[in-house]
Amino acid sequence: MGRRVVVIGAGFGGIGAAIELRAHGYTDVTILDAAPGIGGTWLANTYPGAACDVPSHLYSYSFAQKRSWSRLCSPQEEILEYLRDVAREYSVDGLVRTDTKVTACRWDDEATLWRVETEQGDEYTADAVVVATGQLAQPSIPGIPGREDFAGTEFHSAQWDHDHDLTGRKVAVIGTGASAVQFVPAIAPVVGKLSVFQRTGNWFLPRKNLPYPRSVQRLIKVPGVQRLRRWGLKRLYLESLTASIRNPRTVGPVLKLKSQIFMRHQLRDPEVRRKVWPDYTFGCKRVLFSSYWLPALQRDNVEVVTDSVERIEPTGVRTKDGRLHEVDTIIWGTGFRTTSFMFPMEIHGREGRSLREAWSDGPHAHLGMTVPGFPNLFVMYGPNTNTSGGSIIVYLESQARYVRTALQEADRRGAAAAEVRPEVEAASDAEVQSRFEGTAWQACDSWYRDESGRIITNWPGYMLEYEKATEAIDPSEYVWLEPGERKVSS
């Protein structure tokens, strides 16, 4: 088919979209990525202990199942190798143009197409643009005063400095999110002194994540076992966490009790227990899986600091109580700018409308993908499509299928592009927001919210619900632009 599609991002979303489109005849696909290779977040995050906290048999494409995962939740290297292998197997690796940072996408009203601009000054024209930059692409470092004065070495966990030997060093880890939970146990035995600066504690569930024994590896390869395993992980195991978040007064206490028993068993030191015990509703913030984090905090060379960081000084970190924690290395485990999505990329739709202005009150999109005024622009892993208890790959596959059905419907109609109706998108957003009422997500502040307190990252329901909602485009929800004109048709 003749439609030109530009995909921005070569992670799981972008690669999956390209495979879906090519499988249905859309061969003119170009993937642009600012990184030097395929992989997205799994190329960037190479810190010690990096792994996925979703079981690999579900954190993988349904159409490209691997039966030789080394363990329940595979490490970064294995996931990156898998994604590269899939891209190569489905012949989309050659579509990727690396080291190509997109700076702007502009809709041409007269030509009814997109013009995609890069930092190098190149321009690509496309009938459709798929933005697959994700929510975990831009490292976040808080604006703590004095950072520029630090005399030692500092880096973010997503930009790990592998040339900096941590052996025997005095290290500060600022932040205790999902990344820190993985790398702190890995570096604690190596460093001389480790100060972990925590703002809030986390709820934990156990996960040793040991390599599969040979008997399990053989069993997984038995015909039918893989399918049954995926079904169980998808419908029972992971969705149970979503159910506990959606029902904080009924299902929630059950998982909370499991978490409490596990954490009390691991936290033998009463002072550390006091410091790290969470004081908010179970499931409000991301529930973390680790059997190694809490023991690491109780090592003789590890200190948990709960006083807020006031400033960075040349020789260390000054906390609000006036104490200077002398360190020679600072590792920022402060996560990502999850609510920024594709920004600072500039996107301008029909009649020059700015997406930044359209989202001035917070990002929103129909099914997390389409925005009024931006024809044939599809956002993958967009607003309200993150998952607290499932696999994002399930969502990405659903979105790739939806994009493909939209282009097929445009082809059937002879239309240049599809643009979601404003009233449809508004109703869709209102329904999504209403479904957060009474859930644990609303019980505290978290990175799921923007500055106004609106939850803009997460899907409020289950994976199955999203799959059904995105099975195919509903033509009545869109206006269809005619080629080379500004006219629209129903």
Side-chain angles (χ1 to χ4, degrees):
M1 299 179 187
R3 288 187 187 268
R4 296 160 296 177
V5 182
V6 166
V7 178
I8 305 173
F12 270 94
I15 295 299
I19 292 173
E20 174 74 13
L21 291 171
R22 283 173 61 86
H24 290 83
Y26 294 96
T27 57
D28 193 348
V29 178
T30 302
I31 306 173
L32 307 178
D33 198 292
I38 291 171
T41 190
W42 297 107
L43 180 66
N45 288 269
T46 60
Y47 55 81
C52 186
D53 58 3
V54 175
S56 299
H57 289 90
L58 194 56
Y59 194 86
S60 51
Y61 297 119
S62 62
F63 56 83
Q65 282 298 286
K66 176 179 176 178
R67 291 171 172 77
S68 58
W69 294 108
S70 65
R71 60 197 72 206
L72 180 69
C73 298
S74 296
Q76 172 262 338
E77 300 94 335
E78 199 169 349
I79 296 171
L80 180 59
E81 180 184 19
Y82 164 80
L83 183 56
R84 287 172 170 171
D85 286 346
V86 171
R88 185 164 49 251
E89 178 184 352
Y90 286 85
S91 301
V92 300
D93 55 331
L95 307 178
V96 181
R97 301 188 183 182
T98 58
D99 298 307
T100 304
K101 182 178 181 179
V102 174
T103 55
C105 300
R106 304 181 192 279
W107 175 257
D108 187 322
D109 285 316
E110 298 301 327
T112 55
L113 52 76
W114 284 97
R115 301 192 184 279
V116 180
E117 303 168 9
T118 71
E119 195 172 59
Q120 293 86 344
D122 297 323
E123 182 179 279
Y124 296 82
T125 57
D127 300 294
V129 171
V130 178
V131 180
T133 52
Q135 295 185 18
L136 305 176
Q138 301 181 55
S140 174
I141 296 179
I144 298 173
R147 181 187 166 201
E148 66 282 358
D149 299 326
F150 184 58
T153 299
E154 60 152 348
F155 52 86
H156 191 278
S157 62
Q159 299 162 333
W160 197 272
D161 185 351
H162 291 279
D163 293 328
H164 182 65
D165 187 2
L166 295 176
T167 304
R169 292 189 178 276
K170 293 183 289 184
V171 180
V173 171
I174 300 178
T176 55
S179 298
V181 163
Q182 292 183 339
F183 73 73
V184 163
I187 68 172
V190 177
V191 303
K193 170 69 175 177
L194 181 59
S195 301
V196 178
F197 293 83
Q198 171 197 279
R199 187 169 57 179
T200 56
N202 300 300
W203 287 109
F204 283 91
L205 289 170
R207 179 166 293 159
K208 289 188 175 181
N209 203 33
L210 300 174
Y212 286 134
R214 290 183 180 179
S215 58
V216 173
Q217 292 178 347
R218 287 195 295 267
L219 179 62
I220 291 171
K221 294 178 182 179
V222 173
V225 170
Q226 175 81 333
R227 181 175 297 180
L228 180 62
R229 184 176 176 81
R230 275 181 59 86
W231 181 89
L233 288 170
K234 189 174 183 179
R235 301 296 180 228
L236 302 177
Y237 179 59
L238 293 179
E239 294 286 48
S240 66
L241 181 54
T242 303
S244 72
I245 298 171
R246 284 205 52 76
N247 303 279
R249 293 181 178 83
T250 54
V251 184
V254 177
L255 269 188
K256 178 182 178 180
L257 178 61
K258 180 179 179 179
S259 177
Q260 288 175 319
I261 293 172
F262 166 68
M263 292 176 66
R264 286 188 179 277
H265 174 72
Q266 286 212 316
L267 287 166
R268 302 297 187 178
D269 186 319
E271 179 61 14
V272 176
R273 178 191 296 177
R274 182 190 66 79
K275 287 182 175 180
V276 306
W277 201 266
D279 61 355
Y280 53 86
T281 302
F282 180 86
C284 177
K285 299 177 186 287
R286 184 175 178 179
V287 177
L288 301 176
F289 294 81
S290 175
S291 295
Y292 306 107
W293 167 258
L294 298 177
L297 299 185
Q298 297 168 93
R299 291 178 56 91
D300 291 339
N301 67 329
V302 177
E303 178 188 12
V304 178
V305 182
T306 56
D307 289 296
S308 61
V309 175
E310 194 163 75
R311 66 178 292 106
I312 306 296
E313 298 188 5
T315 59
V317 179
R318 181 82 65 179
T319 46
K320 191 176 182 180
D321 62 352
R323 179 182 171 190
L324 176 64
H325 303 262
E326 294 188 354
V327 298
D328 54 53
T329 305
I330 297 176
I331 304 175
W332 298 93
T334 44
F336 301 86
R337 296 198 294 271
T338 56
T339 59
S340 295
F341 296 97
M342 73 293 291
F343 301 133
M345 184 191 306
E346 290 294 334
I347 298 183
H348 294 269
R350 281 205 303 129
E351 300 178 353
R353 187 185 188 197
S354 165
L355 183 61
R356 193 184 298 275
E357 292 178 4
W359 283 0
S360 59
D361 294 329
H364 52 86
H366 179 47
L367 298 172
M369 286 183 278
T370 57
V371 183
F374 298 85
N376 271 14
L377 178 76
F378 304 94
V379 183
M380 300 187 75
Y381 202 174
N384 294 114
T385 61
N386 185 50
T387 170
S388 291
S391 170
I392 191 59
I393 310 302
V394 172
Y395 290 77
L396 294 174
E397 282 194 50
S398 298
Q399 291 163 5
R401 182 182 60 242
Y402 189 88
V403 172
R404 183 257 301 169
T405 62
L407 297 184
Q408 287 178 325
E409 181 63 22
D411 288 339
R412 189 186 70 79
R413 293 169 173 266
E419 181 184 329
V420 68
R421 296 177 182 275
E423 66 274 15
V424 169
E425 193 273 341
S428 172
D429 180 55
E431 180 187 8
V432 165
Q433 293 302 316
S434 70
R435 294 192 64 198
F436 288 114
E437 292 294 333
T439 68
W441 284 301
Q442 287 197 327
C444 69
D445 291 330
S446 70
W447 60 261
Y448 304 144
R449 297 171 177 261
D450 64 7
E451 294 178 354
S452 71
R454 186 171 178 268
I455 298 174
I456 62 172
T457 61
N458 284 27
W459 175 249
Y462 302 94
M463 287 183 283
L464 181 61
E465 292 176 317
Y466 192 79
E467 287 180 289
K468 288 184 175 180
T470 56
E471 282 179 339
I473 193 169
D474 179 350
S476 68
E477 296 181 337
Y478 288 79
V479 292
W480 301 88
L481 276 66
E482 297 179 9
E485 302 179 24
R486 297 189 185 184
K487 295 180 182 178
V488 297
S489 60
S490 300

